[in-house]
């Protein structure tokens, strides 16, 4: 379709003005539309001006035997129905006391009623919960009363690598039997652990490692702690940093 020329547009405007002054508004509108349609150059292919309905569009794909309504009748009272509640194999397993009920911005709420705050993490192992502040092991002056190290001290923001001091994991060396799986939650977002931390957990402690953000780590710990238990060689442990910590921005290189 080609655009109308200037001469054609001027002729159309003149015809519309003439019809507006000589006829009523409804008649002039109809005349103007007829004039425009008459001068529009259509292609040789005939175009349909009717829009197909929804039923026409889906007549070939719709199942003609499908019900025309959503009502399925009264609720069945047969005793052969599947009770999905009975199929829950963990429904009668007691929830561990160290399960995480909520992750706050600066702490955690555990199933046993314990609540932590102040930006400290938690170490969950052997059915016990411990307040965990690994960055204090990196403090150069631990006896000055005011710690200088913070959670951001452990993070290399440029490489996106989180270094957890091995001194803060000394408790795991005393636990026997050690958890088979150790879940690490790195705060509000996922950070990679350094090679030294991975080697220490895998080779020295002999634990398998799974790293994720704290929200997903808490959910995974709750499920696995209920399924596998928290005691024994097949148990699961967790190292969780506060979900409100998302790291620090990397310095801009100039």
């Amino acid at each position: 379709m080609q655009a109308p020329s200037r001469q054609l547009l001027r002729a159309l405007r003149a015809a519309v003005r003439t019809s507006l002054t000589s006829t009523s508004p409804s008649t002039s509108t109809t005349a103007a539309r007829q004039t425009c349609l008459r001068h529009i150059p259509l292609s040789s292919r005939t175009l349909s001006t009717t829009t197909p309905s929804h039923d026409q569009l889906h007549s070939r794909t719709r199942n003609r035997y499908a019900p025309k309504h959503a009502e399925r009748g009264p609720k069945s009272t047969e005793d052969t129905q599947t009770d999905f509640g009975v199929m829950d194999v963990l429904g009668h397993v007691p929830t561990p006391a160290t399960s995480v009920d909520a992750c706050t911005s600066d702490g955690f709420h555990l199933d046993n009623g314990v609540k932590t705050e102040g930006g400290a993490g938690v170490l969950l192992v052997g059915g016990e919960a411990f307040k965990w502040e690994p960055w204090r092991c990196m403090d150069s002056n631990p006896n000055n009363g005011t710690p200088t190290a913070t959670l951001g001290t452990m993070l290399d923001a440029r490489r996106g690598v989180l270094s957890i001091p091995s001194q803060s994991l000394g408790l795991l060396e005393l636990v026997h039997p050690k958890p088979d799986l150790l879940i690490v939650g790195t705060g509000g977002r996922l950070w990679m652990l350094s090679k030294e931390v991975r080697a220490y957990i895998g080779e020295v402690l002999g634990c398998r490692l799974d790293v994720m953000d704290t929200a997903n780590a808490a959910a995974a710990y709750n499920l696995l702690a209920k399924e596998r238990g928290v005691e024994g060689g097949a148990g699961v442990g967790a190292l969780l940093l506060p979900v409100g910590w998302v790291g620090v921005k990397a310095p801009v290189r100039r």
Side-chain angles (χ1 to χ4, degrees), residues 57-139:
L57 289 175
H58 299 275
S59 59
R60 296 183 179 179
T61 59
R62 176 181 296 180
N63 183 7
R64 60 178 179 174
Y65 300 104
K68 302 298 187 297
H69 52 81
E71 180 63 30
R72 295 297 182 265
K75 184 178 180 180
S76 176
T77 57
E78 298 180 1
D79 55 357
T80 58
Q81 297 182 91
T82 302
D83 188 358
F84 292 100
V86 178
M87 299 177 63
D88 185 7
V89 295
L90 300 178
H92 302 288
V93 178
T95 302
T98 55
S99 295
V100 182
D101 284 348
C103 298
T104 62
S105 60
D106 62 342
F108 300 89
H109 296 178
L110 303 183
D111 185 74
N112 56 4
V114 176
K115 299 180 180 179
T116 64
E117 57 184 9
V122 290
L123 169 60
L124 309 176
V125 61
E128 301 290 339
F130 301 89
K131 189 176 180 180
W132 185 52
E133 296 178 329
W135 55 90
R136 289 183 177 269
C137 297
M138 305 180 68
D139 195 353

Side-chain angles (χ1 to χ4, degrees), residues 52-230:
S53 62
H54 183 272
D55 295 337
Q56 293 175 348
L57 289 175
H58 299 275
S59 59
R60 296 183 179 179
T61 59
R62 176 181 296 180
N63 183 7
R64 60 178 179 174
Y65 300 104
K68 302 298 187 297
H69 52 81
E71 180 63 30
R72 295 297 182 265
K75 184 178 180 180
S76 176
T77 57
E78 298 180 1
D79 55 357
T80 58
Q81 297 182 91
T82 302
D83 188 358
F84 292 100
V86 178
M87 299 177 63
D88 185 7
V89 295
L90 300 178
H92 302 288
V93 178
T95 302
T98 55
S99 295
V100 182
D101 284 348
C103 298
T104 62
S105 60
D106 62 342
F108 300 89
H109 296 178
L110 303 183
D111 185 74
N112 56 4
V114 176
K115 299 180 180 179
T116 64
E117 57 184 9
V122 290
L123 169 60
L124 309 176
V125 61
E128 301 290 339
F130 301 89
K131 189 176 180 180
W132 185 52
E133 296 178 329
W135 55 90
R136 289 183 177 269
C137 297
M138 305 180 68
D139 195 353
S140 57
N141 297 316
N143 299 323
N144 61 355
T146 304
T148 58
T150 61
L151 182 53
T153 309
M154 304 188 305
L155 177 66
D156 185 352
R158 179 171 297 177
R159 296 189 303 157
V161 176
L162 187 66
S163 298
I164 299 177
S166 58
Q167 298 88 339
S168 65
L169 304 178
L171 176 64
L172 296 176
E173 296 185 6
L174 305 177
V175 177
H176 181 78
K178 295 179 176 59
D180 176 64
L181 176 63
L182 188 62
I183 300 176
V184 179
T186 59
R189 55 177 297 186
L190 174 63
W191 298 98
M192 297 178 58
L193 294 184
S194 62
K195 291 183 179 180
E196 293 77 11
V197 178
R198 290 180 175 273
Y200 176 79
I201 295 176
E203 299 175 5
V204 179
L205 299 180
C207 301
R208 293 187 297 167
L209 184 64
D210 196 358
V211 184
M212 59 190 76
D213 61 280
T214 297
N216 290 317
Y221 173 79
N222 290 344
L223 177 62
L224 295 177
K226 192 173 182 179
E227 177 185 357
R228 303 171 56 178
V230 293

